[in-house]
């Protein structure tokens, strides 16, 4: 039987690898669609790689999160670093789901204008960045070092909101989710 710690390492490496490739591919998509790079025949390749690896990393993320919680010493979320890891991984998952849903819904039209290209690529890069920050926090938690130590990120400080602000944020998020769902099911103005 495999231990939770070993399973966490394997699943985390899958997530980090997939999101790293996805991030590089989104960067190349942005550069190709803004004509910084002139290889137009590469556009479909990087578009497919960016979204496939994003979905693969998204599918592996719950395994990394759950195995991380079960393999963490103590009471699970007893460390501020672990709380930050949860916040960052959930943020990354939210960005990734949004990017995937927009690409699935709009198809190639996400690359139709420079505005949509920039927005889609930045959201994809934000998903990847959140996951890489999560991995960096994990390195800080386990080994007291990470690849991003040069930035001196405050992983040990947790930003907690008062209950009223958390409630307002929850209502606002749910409202935006419902509004997005209604607009997604409405007749599209994108041709």
């Amino acid at each position: 039987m495999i231990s939770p710690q070993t399973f966490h390492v394997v699943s985390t490496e899958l997530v980090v690898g997939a999101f790293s490739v996805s991030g590089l591919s989104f960067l190349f998509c942005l550069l190709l669609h803004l004509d910084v790079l002139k290889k137009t025949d590469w556009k479909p390749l990087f578009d497919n790689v960016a979204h496939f690896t994003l979905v693969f990393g998204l599918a592996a993320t719950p395994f990394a999160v759950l195995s991380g919680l079960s393999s963490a010493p103590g009471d699970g979320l007893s460390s501020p670093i672990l709380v930050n890891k949860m916040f960052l991984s959930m943020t990354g998952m939210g960005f990734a789901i949004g990017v995937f849903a927009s690409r699935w819904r709009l198809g190639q039209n996400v690359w139709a204008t420079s505005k949509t290209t920039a927005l889609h690529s930045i959201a994809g890069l934000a998903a990847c960045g959140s996951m890489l920050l999560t991995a960096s926090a994990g390195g800080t938690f386990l080994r007291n070092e990470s690849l991003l130590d040069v930035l001196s990120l405050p992983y040990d400080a947790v930003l907690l909101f008062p209950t009223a602000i958390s409630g307002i944020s929850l209502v606002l998020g749910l409202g935006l989710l419902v509004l997005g769902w209604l607009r997604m099911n409405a007749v599209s103005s994108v041709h």
Side-chain angles (χ1 to χ4, degrees):
M1 182 94 188
I2 188 169
S3 71
Q5 292 87 354
T6 303
F7 186 72
H8 181 64
V9 169
V10 171
S11 59
T12 299
E13 294 303 324
L14 287 173
V15 170
V16 170
F19 274 97
S20 296
V21 172
S22 181
L24 284 173
S25 298
F26 274 113
L27 180 62
F28 281 122
C29 283
L30 180 63
L31 296 175
L32 287 165
H33 284 87
L34 297 179
D35 290 328
V36 174
L37 297 176
K38 303 294 183 192
K39 294 284 209 175
T40 57
D41 54 327
W42 288 359
K43 287 180 182 181
L45 169 73
F46 284 113
D47 175 44
N48 290 333
V49 170
H51 291 94
F52 177 79
T53 53
L54 182 83
V55 170
F56 183 81
L58 192 58
T61 298
F63 296 107
V65 170
L66 294 174
S67 65
L69 287 174
S70 66
S71 65
D75 297 333
L77 294 177
S78 58
S79 166
I81 296 174
L82 294 178
V83 173
N84 282 329
K85 281 184 64 170
M86 281 297 288
F87 285 155
L88 287 168
S89 65
M90 293 301 115
T91 301
M93 282 182 67
F95 276 121
I97 290 168
V99 167
F100 174 69
S102 65
R103 176 62 173 85
W104 179 54
R105 173 77 171 138
L106 299 175
Q108 288 292 326
N109 287 330
V110 295
W111 308 115
T113 66
S114 59
K115 182 180 177 182
T116 59
T117 295
L119 183 63
H120 192 70
S121 296
I122 289 170
L125 288 168
C128 300
S130 296
M131 289 305 186
L132 295 178
L133 281 172
T134 303
S136 179
T140 301
F141 180 73
L142 289 175
R143 297 177 305 278
N144 202 23
E145 67 176 2
S146 76
L147 187 60
L148 300 177
D149 278 347
V150 296
L151 300 177
S152 300
L153 298 171
Y155 292 124
D156 56 348
V158 178
L159 179 62
L160 296 176
F161 292 117
T163 305
I165 293 176
S166 295
I168 292 169
S169 298
L170 178 65
V171 169
L172 182 63
L174 290 173
L176 288 172
L177 184 67
V178 168
L179 179 64
W181 184 261
L182 292 174
R183 291 193 74 190
M184 191 167 81
N185 290 325
V187 177
S188 176
S189 62
V190 178
H191 300 284

